[in-house]
Amino acid sequence: MTYTAPVSEISAALNDIAGLSGLIDEGLFPDLDPDLVNAILEEAGKFASERIAPLNAQGDSQGAALKDGKVRMPEGWREVYEHWCEAGWGGLPGPGDYGGQGLPVLVSMAVSEMWQSACMSFALNPMLTQGAVEAIAKFGSDELKQTYLPKMVSGEWSGTMQLTEPHAGSDLSTLKTMAVPQDDGSFLLSGTKIFITFGEHDLVENIVHLVLARTPDAPPGTAGISLFLVPKYLMNTDGSLGERNDVHCISLEHKLGIHASPTCVMQMGDNGGAKGWLVGEETRGLAAMFTMMNRARLAVGVQGAAIAERAFQQALGFAHERKQGSDTQGLEVAIIAHPDVKRMLLSMKSKTTASRAICFMTAREIDLAERSADEKARGAAHAMASLLTPIAKVFSTDMGVEVASEGIQVHGGMGYVEETGAAQHLRDARISPIYEGTNGIQAIDLVVRKLPADGGEAVRRHIASLRESIADIGASNVPEFGDTASRLEDAVAALEEATSFLLGVIGDDITSALAGAGAYTRLFGITSGAVYMAGGALKRSRSDEGNSGGAITLARYYAENHAIEAPGLAKAVITGGGWASSDAADALTG
Ligand SMILES: Cc1cc2nc3c(=O)[nH]c(=O)nc-3n(C[C@H](O)[C@H](O)[C@H](O)COP(=O)(O)OP(=O)(O)OC[C@H]3O[C@@H](n4cnc5c(N)ncnc54)[C@H](O)[C@@H]3O)c2cc1C
């Protein structure tokens, strides 16, 4: 049940696939050099493997507990968290003006993968805090930034995102939490939020909640929603913690996985109202929240790749140890000797690698969008990051669940019982396709908003760039690639065909577009992941070491066994949506 951070594989994905070393050479990250990146990855890998990973099973069995309004975290968690903060890990992605190290998104996502693999419950707290830091840094007043950001960046205080209400999940337009303006410029909030991750806990002294609420005269629907900062403790004028604010955890959810991540029902206003301050403009709260959620969506995608990595490592270890069956000489063998077990392990590893590749490519585009010198390049990268973010979220979290399930299968019956820990990975992974916008909603966002956003320009550029990589792979004539190039050509042709179909129907047949959104997102993910992996493997084989270290075999396996699903998925998008024109009631009830 141990986890060893796969530092060299993460480094290969960063450099061979996402081109980090090239970006450093071009001067995009002036404060970074390859040695520093390696040192960060090595040290983070050590902390994740040695300090955080042991919390995973213990946190699962002990869970977080609510008593007298306080949430107690499992034993030893506070100590590890404090060491994590002291080592400066909290500030890694944070803005330099507030004590952070301002690392590129690409590097901070690579490090985040290790925290998430080591213990998803532990990593959720910093993940949400980071999202809140970004929103406050971008939209908060100077006073809010000075008061809250330094301690949030260092990890001394944590942050939450409070959107969901009992009747307002995917559709936030109906949310009811009220924020009434006060003479001093603050607001008093009242209402109930549900499912709030780390809404209350004892790892930190203060918790900074970002809450979506409605002001009294706001228009109905999403146009009337504003974003507020509501701290657990109000601040005294001397900067010390003051009065307890009227925001309380009134219960914890009992749930399938991530038992050590407290999922809280939060109540505001039982004692007159929770004091809060506007973040950004009144009625523009959803836009501000979505800025932070885009990065959070990528972080959840990384979570999918991370849990897949952990499940894979565990299954691989088990497959080497478990003896069952015999070889052609009649000698007892470890199950890894059986082709079907090898197939499952290759499936797990290639899906993990494809997910990581897509997440890192998305992070690369975010960095380019923020740091390129040329405005046009920034605009193009922003469009690409917007296109890829839903893919990173949907594909990688779906893969996290699939891989964790395959991990149980590799274990046989021992995977289904709790003591091996394989089952925990599946239980933990299962939330990631649901939160941060369900995968269904993300797929719709891709098809209805992201694809047509610029008349299809970004997706056409993406397809052209995939084709360039494939041409390079074909021209390399490396025999180990087998049929990779032609399988990838078929997959890209399928993606192009399905894309043209969707761009054609979005305007006048939205139902067909919506019906095909899920299949299209998977098609997009499989195809892009397959090409990224093969391109990265080729680059690695051309490096100083002169061989790909198994990367070509893995890319070939994925192209020949998984990318071949692409033409079928394209058919599902183009001709499979006939059912959507009826209400399908007879099929569902007949
Ligand atoms: C463990 C956990 C932690 C969470 N953490 C947080 C948090 O920190 N902060 C926070 O604010 N929220 C949090 N959430 C809430 C989470 O984001 C929501 O559960 C999620 O957005 C889905 O909302 P819902 O549960 O109301 O499902 P619903 O919106 O009711 O959706 C149910 C199903 O219907 C589908 N559906 C809904 N609308 C449409 C549509 N228009 N078109 C097509 N399909 C549709 C969905 O895809 C889904 O399959 C958390 C939830 C959990 C379980």
Side-chain angles (χ1 to χ4, degrees), residues 25-56:
D25 290 346
E26 286 165 26
L28 199 75
F29 312 121
D31 299 333
L32 216 58
D33 63 60
D35 289 343
L36 179 60
V37 175
N38 286 338
I40 292 169
L41 296 180
E42 287 290 346
E43 285 307 310
K46 248 190 246 165
F47 199 98
S49 310
E50 292 169 13
R51 301 300 311 277
I52 302 178
L55 302 179
N56 199 41

PDB file of all heavy atoms in Angstrom, residues 25-56:
ATOM      1  N   ASP A  25      14.192  27.313 -21.775  1.00  0.00           N
ATOM      2  CA  ASP A  25      15.219  27.827 -22.703  1.00  0.00           C
ATOM      3  C   ASP A  25      14.757  29.111 -23.396  1.00  0.00           C
ATOM      4  O   ASP A  25      15.540  30.017 -23.643  1.00  0.00           O
ATOM      5  CB  ASP A  25      15.551  26.796 -23.792  1.00  0.00           C
ATOM      6  CG  ASP A  25      16.307  25.611 -23.218  1.00  0.00           C
ATOM      7  OD1 ASP A  25      16.791  25.734 -22.069  1.00  0.00           O
ATOM      8  OD2 ASP A  25      16.389  24.566 -23.894  1.00  0.00           O
ATOM      9  N   GLU A  26      13.456  29.149 -23.703  1.00  0.00           N
ATOM     10  CA  GLU A  26      12.935  30.344 -24.395  1.00  0.00           C
ATOM     11  C   GLU A  26      12.798  31.547 -23.462  1.00  0.00           C
ATOM     12  O   GLU A  26      12.457  32.640 -23.889  1.00  0.00           O
ATOM     13  CB  GLU A  26      11.543  30.052 -24.973  1.00  0.00           C
ATOM     14  CG  GLU A  26      11.565  29.169 -26.199  1.00  0.00           C
ATOM     15  CD  GLU A  26      10.172  28.617 -26.514  1.00  0.00           C
ATOM     16  OE1 GLU A  26       9.162  29.260 -26.148  1.00  0.00           O
ATOM     17  OE2 GLU A  26      10.102  27.528 -27.107  1.00  0.00           O
ATOM     18  N   GLY A  27      12.993  31.327 -22.162  1.00  0.00           N
ATOM     19  CA  GLY A  27      12.949  32.436 -21.200  1.00  0.00           C
ATOM     20  C   GLY A  27      11.567  32.714 -20.643  1.00  0.00           C
ATOM     21  O   GLY A  27      11.335  33.769 -20.047  1.00  0.00           O
ATOM     22  N   LEU A  28      10.641  31.756 -20.824  1.00  0.00           N
ATOM     23  CA  LEU A  28       9.280  31.995 -20.326  1.00  0.00           C
ATOM     24  C   LEU A  28       9.243  32.048 -18.797  1.00  0.00           C
ATOM     25  O   LEU A  28       8.425  32.749 -18.210  1.00  0.00           O
ATOM     26  CB  LEU A  28       8.337  30.901 -20.838  1.00  0.00           C
ATOM     27  CG  LEU A  28       6.863  31.256 -20.782  1.00  0.00           C
ATOM     28  CD1 LEU A  28       6.493  32.241 -21.876  1.00  0.00           C
ATOM     29  CD2 LEU A  28       5.986  30.015 -20.895  1.00  0.00           C
ATOM     30  N   PHE A  29      10.121  31.259 -18.158  1.00  0.00           N
ATOM     31  CA  PHE A  29      10.157  31.228 -16.690  1.00  0.00           C
ATOM     32  C   PHE A  29      11.564  31.644 -16.240  1.00  0.00           C
ATOM     33  O   PHE A  29      12.402  30.785 -15.950  1.00  0.00           O
ATOM     34  CB  PHE A  29       9.852  29.821 -16.177  1.00  0.00           C
ATOM     35  CG  PHE A  29       8.646  29.172 -16.805  1.00  0.00           C
ATOM     36  CD1 PHE A  29       8.759  27.963 -17.483  1.00  0.00           C
ATOM     37  CD2 PHE A  29       7.395  29.760 -16.709  1.00  0.00           C
ATOM     38  CE1 PHE A  29       7.652  27.360 -18.055  1.00  0.00           C
ATOM     39  CE2 PHE A  29       6.280  29.160 -17.284  1.00  0.00           C
ATOM     40  CZ  PHE A  29       6.406  27.959 -17.967  1.00  0.00           C
ATOM     41  N   PRO A  30      11.839  32.948 -16.172  1.00  0.00           N
ATOM     42  CA  PRO A  30      13.216  33.396 -15.918  1.00  0.00           C
ATOM     43  C   PRO A  30      13.791  32.922 -14.586  1.00  0.00           C
ATOM     44  O   PRO A  30      15.005  32.810 -14.444  1.00  0.00           O
ATOM     45  CB  PRO A  30      13.112  34.928 -15.959  1.00  0.00           C
ATOM     46  CG  PRO A  30      11.683  35.265 -16.074  1.00  0.00           C
ATOM     47  CD  PRO A  30      10.899  34.055 -16.371  1.00  0.00           C
ATOM     48  N   ASP A  31      12.913  32.632 -13.589  1.00  0.00           N
ATOM     49  CA  ASP A  31      13.440  32.235 -12.277  1.00  0.00           C
ATOM     50  C   ASP A  31      13.673  30.738 -12.160  1.00  0.00           C
ATOM     51  O   ASP A  31      13.980  30.229 -11.083  1.00  0.00           O
ATOM     52  CB  ASP A  31      12.459  32.647 -11.169  1.00  0.00           C
ATOM     53  CG  ASP A  31      12.262  34.146 -11.161  1.00  0.00           C
ATOM     54  OD1 ASP A  31      13.199  34.845 -11.590  1.00  0.00           O
ATOM     55  OD2 ASP A  31      11.177  34.605 -10.770  1.00  0.00           O
ATOM     56  N   LEU A  32      13.482  30.019 -13.255  1.00  0.00           N
ATOM     57  CA  LEU A  32      13.506  28.552 -13.156  1.00  0.00           C
ATOM     58  C   LEU A  32      14.604  27.976 -14.040  1.00  0.00           C
ATOM     59  O   LEU A  32      14.865  28.489 -15.126  1.00  0.00           O
ATOM     60  CB  LEU A  32      12.154  28.052 -13.683  1.00  0.00           C
ATOM     61  CG  LEU A  32      11.522  26.835 -13.026  1.00  0.00           C
ATOM     62  CD1 LEU A  32      11.323  27.074 -11.555  1.00  0.00           C
ATOM     63  CD2 LEU A  32      10.185  26.528 -13.690  1.00  0.00           C
ATOM     64  N   ASP A  33      15.247  26.936 -13.560  1.00  0.00           N
ATOM     65  CA  ASP A  33      16.142  26.190 -14.447  1.00  0.00           C
ATOM     66  C   ASP A  33      15.876  24.703 -14.216  1.00  0.00           C
ATOM     67  O   ASP A  33      15.272  24.326 -13.200  1.00  0.00           O
ATOM     68  CB  ASP A  33      17.612  26.565 -14.223  1.00  0.00           C
ATOM     69  CG  ASP A  33      18.079  26.204 -12.831  1.00  0.00           C
ATOM     70  OD1 ASP A  33      18.038  25.018 -12.480  1.00  0.00           O
ATOM     71  OD2 ASP A  33      18.445  27.125 -12.073  1.00  0.00           O
ATOM     72  N   PRO A  34      16.306  23.847 -15.154  1.00  0.00           N
ATOM     73  CA  PRO A  34      15.958  22.424 -15.047  1.00  0.00           C
ATOM     74  C   PRO A  34      16.426  21.788 -13.738  1.00  0.00           C
ATOM     75  O   PRO A  34      15.728  20.942 -13.173  1.00  0.00           O
ATOM     76  CB  PRO A  34      16.664  21.794 -16.255  1.00  0.00           C
ATOM     77  CG  PRO A  34      16.784  22.915 -17.243  1.00  0.00           C
ATOM     78  CD  PRO A  34      16.973  24.154 -16.437  1.00  0.00           C
ATOM     79  N   ASP A  35      17.580  22.222 -13.214  1.00  0.00           N
ATOM     80  CA  ASP A  35      18.059  21.639 -11.954  1.00  0.00           C
ATOM     81  C   ASP A  35      17.116  21.969 -10.802  1.00  0.00           C
ATOM     82  O   ASP A  35      16.847  21.130  -9.936  1.00  0.00           O
ATOM     83  CB  ASP A  35      19.462  22.157 -11.609  1.00  0.00           C
ATOM     84  CG  ASP A  35      20.494  21.561 -12.556  1.00  0.00           C
ATOM     85  OD1 ASP A  35      20.174  20.551 -13.216  1.00  0.00           O
ATOM     86  OD2 ASP A  35      21.597  22.130 -12.654  1.00  0.00           O
ATOM     87  N   LEU A  36      16.639  23.211 -10.812  1.00  0.00           N
ATOM     88  CA  LEU A  36      15.714  23.614  -9.747  1.00  0.00           C
ATOM     89  C   LEU A  36      14.423  22.796  -9.840  1.00  0.00           C
ATOM     90  O   LEU A  36      13.891  22.320  -8.828  1.00  0.00           O
ATOM     91  CB  LEU A  36      15.434  25.119  -9.851  1.00  0.00           C
ATOM     92  CG  LEU A  36      14.463  25.687  -8.812  1.00  0.00           C
ATOM     93  CD1 LEU A  36      14.985  25.467  -7.396  1.00  0.00           C
ATOM     94  CD2 LEU A  36      14.254  27.190  -9.044  1.00  0.00           C
ATOM     95  N   VAL A  37      13.923  22.623 -11.068  1.00  0.00           N
ATOM     96  CA  VAL A  37      12.694  21.828 -11.232  1.00  0.00           C
ATOM     97  C   VAL A  37      12.923  20.414 -10.704  1.00  0.00           C
ATOM     98  O   VAL A  37      12.101  19.872  -9.948  1.00  0.00           O
ATOM     99  CB  VAL A  37      12.254  21.769 -12.716  1.00  0.00           C
ATOM    100  CG1 VAL A  37      11.062  20.833 -12.888  1.00  0.00           C
ATOM    101  CG2 VAL A  37      11.912  23.155 -13.230  1.00  0.00           C
ATOM    102  N   ASN A  38      14.055  19.822 -11.060  1.00  0.00           N
ATOM    103  CA  ASN A  38      14.330  18.455 -10.587  1.00  0.00           C
ATOM    104  C   ASN A  38      14.396  18.397  -9.074  1.00  0.00           C
ATOM    105  O   ASN A  38      13.867  17.465  -8.455  1.00  0.00           O
ATOM    106  CB  ASN A  38      15.652  17.936 -11.168  1.00  0.00           C
ATOM    107  CG  ASN A  38      15.475  17.599 -12.628  1.00  0.00           C
ATOM    108  OD1 ASN A  38      14.355  17.369 -13.084  1.00  0.00           O
ATOM    109  ND2 ASN A  38      16.574  17.593 -13.377  1.00  0.00           N
ATOM    110  N   ALA A  39      15.037  19.413  -8.478  1.00  0.00           N
ATOM    111  CA  ALA A  39      15.157  19.420  -7.014  1.00  0.00           C
ATOM    112  C   ALA A  39      13.769  19.524  -6.376  1.00  0.00           C
ATOM    113  O   ALA A  39      13.468  18.830  -5.386  1.00  0.00           O
ATOM    114  CB  ALA A  39      16.038  20.584  -6.575  1.00  0.00           C
ATOM    115  N   ILE A  40      12.907  20.374  -6.947  1.00  0.00           N
ATOM    116  CA  ILE A  40      11.544  20.518  -6.404  1.00  0.00           C
ATOM    117  C   ILE A  40      10.805  19.182  -6.500  1.00  0.00           C
ATOM    118  O   ILE A  40      10.174  18.717  -5.541  1.00  0.00           O
ATOM    119  CB  ILE A  40      10.771  21.632  -7.160  1.00  0.00           C
ATOM    120  CG1 ILE A  40      11.376  23.000  -6.863  1.00  0.00           C
ATOM    121  CG2 ILE A  40       9.292  21.612  -6.798  1.00  0.00           C
ATOM    122  CD1 ILE A  40      10.870  24.127  -7.755  1.00  0.00           C
ATOM    123  N   LEU A  41      10.896  18.546  -7.671  1.00  0.00           N
ATOM    124  CA  LEU A  41      10.173  17.276  -7.856  1.00  0.00           C
ATOM    125  C   LEU A  41      10.698  16.214  -6.894  1.00  0.00           C
ATOM    126  O   LEU A  41       9.921  15.468  -6.286  1.00  0.00           O
ATOM    127  CB  LEU A  41      10.304  16.783  -9.297  1.00  0.00           C
ATOM    128  CG  LEU A  41       9.674  17.651 -10.398  1.00  0.00           C
ATOM    129  CD1 LEU A  41       9.899  17.022 -11.767  1.00  0.00           C
ATOM    130  CD2 LEU A  41       8.178  17.864 -10.167  1.00  0.00           C
ATOM    131  N   GLU A  42      12.020  16.144  -6.752  1.00  0.00           N
ATOM    132  CA  GLU A  42      12.622  15.135  -5.857  1.00  0.00           C
ATOM    133  C   GLU A  42      12.151  15.345  -4.421  1.00  0.00           C
ATOM    134  O   GLU A  42      11.723  14.399  -3.750  1.00  0.00           O
ATOM    135  CB  GLU A  42      14.163  15.229  -5.886  1.00  0.00           C
ATOM    136  CG  GLU A  42      14.810  14.704  -7.154  1.00  0.00           C
ATOM    137  CD  GLU A  42      14.719  13.184  -7.285  1.00  0.00           C
ATOM    138  OE1 GLU A  42      14.393  12.522  -6.290  1.00  0.00           O
ATOM    139  OE2 GLU A  42      14.955  12.693  -8.408  1.00  0.00           O
ATOM    140  N   GLU A  43      12.236  16.585  -3.952  1.00  0.00           N
ATOM    141  CA  GLU A  43      11.885  16.859  -2.556  1.00  0.00           C
ATOM    142  C   GLU A  43      10.386  16.659  -2.317  1.00  0.00           C
ATOM    143  O   GLU A  43       9.981  16.099  -1.297  1.00  0.00           O
ATOM    144  CB  GLU A  43      12.283  18.300  -2.175  1.00  0.00           C
ATOM    145  CG  GLU A  43      13.774  18.475  -1.974  1.00  0.00           C
ATOM    146  CD  GLU A  43      14.374  17.468  -0.995  1.00  0.00           C
ATOM    147  OE1 GLU A  43      13.831  17.305   0.112  1.00  0.00           O
ATOM    148  OE2 GLU A  43      15.382  16.813  -1.346  1.00  0.00           O
ATOM    149  N   ALA A  44       9.576  17.111  -3.258  1.00  0.00           N
ATOM    150  CA  ALA A  44       8.126  16.913  -3.111  1.00  0.00           C
ATOM    151  C   ALA A  44       7.823  15.421  -3.118  1.00  0.00           C
ATOM    152  O   ALA A  44       6.992  14.935  -2.329  1.00  0.00           O
ATOM    153  CB  ALA A  44       7.375  17.609  -4.240  1.00  0.00           C
ATOM    154  N   GLY A  45       8.503  14.695  -3.994  1.00  0.00           N
ATOM    155  CA  GLY A  45       8.294  13.244  -4.070  1.00  0.00           C
ATOM    156  C   GLY A  45       8.603  12.573  -2.749  1.00  0.00           C
ATOM    157  O   GLY A  45       7.875  11.692  -2.300  1.00  0.00           O
ATOM    158  N   LYS A  46       9.681  13.036  -2.113  1.00  0.00           N
ATOM    159  CA  LYS A  46      10.058  12.453  -0.818  1.00  0.00           C
ATOM    160  C   LYS A  46       8.993  12.746   0.228  1.00  0.00           C
ATOM    161  O   LYS A  46       8.567  11.861   0.973  1.00  0.00           O
ATOM    162  CB  LYS A  46      11.389  13.081  -0.366  1.00  0.00           C
ATOM    163  CG  LYS A  46      12.533  12.087  -0.362  1.00  0.00           C
ATOM    164  CD  LYS A  46      13.739  12.688   0.306  1.00  0.00           C
ATOM    165  CE  LYS A  46      14.854  12.869  -0.703  1.00  0.00           C
ATOM    166  NZ  LYS A  46      15.925  13.722  -0.273  1.00  0.00           N
ATOM    167  N   PHE A  47       8.568  14.012   0.288  1.00  0.00           N
ATOM    168  CA  PHE A  47       7.580  14.377   1.309  1.00  0.00           C
ATOM    169  C   PHE A  47       6.275  13.608   1.082  1.00  0.00           C
ATOM    170  O   PHE A  47       5.655  13.098   2.016  1.00  0.00           O
ATOM    171  CB  PHE A  47       7.320  15.891   1.302  1.00  0.00           C
ATOM    172  CG  PHE A  47       6.697  16.391   2.573  1.00  0.00           C
ATOM    173  CD1 PHE A  47       7.473  16.969   3.560  1.00  0.00           C
ATOM    174  CD2 PHE A  47       5.332  16.245   2.802  1.00  0.00           C
ATOM    175  CE1 PHE A  47       6.900  17.402   4.763  1.00  0.00           C
ATOM    176  CE2 PHE A  47       4.749  16.668   3.986  1.00  0.00           C
ATOM    177  CZ  PHE A  47       5.534  17.257   4.975  1.00  0.00           C
ATOM    178  N   ALA A  48       5.874  13.528  -0.191  1.00  0.00           N
ATOM    179  CA  ALA A  48       4.613  12.836  -0.509  1.00  0.00           C
ATOM    180  C   ALA A  48       4.704  11.366  -0.132  1.00  0.00           C
ATOM    181  O   ALA A  48       3.797  10.810   0.504  1.00  0.00           O
ATOM    182  CB  ALA A  48       4.295  12.991  -1.995  1.00  0.00           C
ATOM    183  N   SER A  49       5.808  10.723  -0.509  1.00  0.00           N
ATOM    184  CA  SER A  49       5.918   9.275  -0.290  1.00  0.00           C
ATOM    185  C   SER A  49       6.116   8.947   1.191  1.00  0.00           C
ATOM    186  O   SER A  49       5.514   8.010   1.701  1.00  0.00           O
ATOM    187  CB  SER A  49       7.111   8.704  -1.066  1.00  0.00           C
ATOM    188  OG  SER A  49       7.081   9.127  -2.408  1.00  0.00           O
ATOM    189  N   GLU A  50       6.957   9.759   1.854  1.00  0.00           N
ATOM    190  CA  GLU A  50       7.345   9.384   3.220  1.00  0.00           C
ATOM    191  C   GLU A  50       6.404   9.927   4.287  1.00  0.00           C
ATOM    192  O   GLU A  50       6.164   9.274   5.297  1.00  0.00           O
ATOM    193  CB  GLU A  50       8.778   9.880   3.506  1.00  0.00           C
ATOM    194  CG  GLU A  50       9.803   9.136   2.676  1.00  0.00           C
ATOM    195  CD  GLU A  50      11.186   9.778   2.728  1.00  0.00           C
ATOM    196  OE1 GLU A  50      11.422  10.649   3.602  1.00  0.00           O
ATOM    197  OE2 GLU A  50      12.023   9.401   1.887  1.00  0.00           O
ATOM    198  N   ARG A  51       5.896  11.150   4.092  1.00  0.00           N
ATOM    199  CA  ARG A  51       5.108  11.769   5.152  1.00  0.00           C
ATOM    200  C   ARG A  51       3.602  11.715   4.897  1.00  0.00           C
ATOM    201  O   ARG A  51       2.829  11.488   5.822  1.00  0.00           O
ATOM    202  CB  ARG A  51       5.521  13.247   5.339  1.00  0.00           C
ATOM    203  CG  ARG A  51       6.979  13.464   5.690  1.00  0.00           C
ATOM    204  CD  ARG A  51       7.387  12.784   7.009  1.00  0.00           C
ATOM    205  NE  ARG A  51       6.500  13.030   8.136  1.00  0.00           N
ATOM    206  CZ  ARG A  51       6.537  14.102   8.932  1.00  0.00           C
ATOM    207  NH1 ARG A  51       7.436  15.033   8.722  1.00  0.00           N
ATOM    208  NH2 ARG A  51       5.692  14.232   9.931  1.00  0.00           N
ATOM    209  N   ILE A  52       3.193  11.947   3.640  1.00  0.00           N
ATOM    210  CA  ILE A  52       1.744  12.050   3.402  1.00  0.00           C
ATOM    211  C   ILE A  52       1.123  10.680   3.110  1.00  0.00           C
ATOM    212  O   ILE A  52       0.050  10.363   3.621  1.00  0.00           O
ATOM    213  CB  ILE A  52       1.438  13.038   2.247  1.00  0.00           C
ATOM    214  CG1 ILE A  52       2.017  14.421   2.576  1.00  0.00           C
ATOM    215  CG2 ILE A  52      -0.057  13.140   2.006  1.00  0.00           C
ATOM    216  CD1 ILE A  52       1.826  15.458   1.491  1.00  0.00           C
ATOM    217  N   ALA A  53       1.814   9.863   2.311  1.00  0.00           N
ATOM    218  CA  ALA A  53       1.210   8.582   1.900  1.00  0.00           C
ATOM    219  C   ALA A  53       0.774   7.714   3.092  1.00  0.00           C
ATOM    220  O   ALA A  53      -0.289   7.076   3.029  1.00  0.00           O
ATOM    221  CB  ALA A  53       2.170   7.822   0.983  1.00  0.00           C
ATOM    222  N   PRO A  54       1.539   7.697   4.203  1.00  0.00           N
ATOM    223  CA  PRO A  54       1.079   6.867   5.324  1.00  0.00           C
ATOM    224  C   PRO A  54      -0.255   7.332   5.933  1.00  0.00           C
ATOM    225  O   PRO A  54      -0.889   6.583   6.668  1.00  0.00           O
ATOM    226  CB  PRO A  54       2.227   6.993   6.351  1.00  0.00           C
ATOM    227  CG  PRO A  54       3.428   7.372   5.546  1.00  0.00           C
ATOM    228  CD  PRO A  54       2.898   8.226   4.434  1.00  0.00           C
ATOM    229  N   LEU A  55      -0.665   8.581   5.640  1.00  0.00           N
ATOM    230  CA  LEU A  55      -1.941   9.066   6.191  1.00  0.00           C
ATOM    231  C   LEU A  55      -3.150   8.494   5.448  1.00  0.00           C
ATOM    232  O   LEU A  55      -4.283   8.587   5.924  1.00  0.00           O
ATOM    233  CB  LEU A  55      -2.015  10.600   6.096  1.00  0.00           C
ATOM    234  CG  LEU A  55      -0.926  11.432   6.774  1.00  0.00           C
ATOM    235  CD1 LEU A  55      -1.190  12.917   6.540  1.00  0.00           C
ATOM    236  CD2 LEU A  55      -0.886  11.140   8.268  1.00  0.00           C
ATOM    237  N   ASN A  56      -2.898   7.930   4.260  1.00  0.00           N
ATOM    238  CA  ASN A  56      -4.021   7.619   3.378  1.00  0.00           C
ATOM    239  C   ASN A  56      -4.979   6.581   3.966  1.00  0.00           C
ATOM    240  O   ASN A  56      -6.174   6.842   4.103  1.00  0.00           O
ATOM    241  CB  ASN A  56      -3.491   7.148   2.023  1.00  0.00           C
ATOM    242  CG  ASN A  56      -4.522   7.252   0.933  1.00  0.00           C
ATOM    243  OD1 ASN A  56      -5.266   8.241   0.887  1.00  0.00           O
ATOM    244  ND2 ASN A  56      -4.593   6.258   0.070  1.00  0.00           N
TER     245      ASN A  56
END
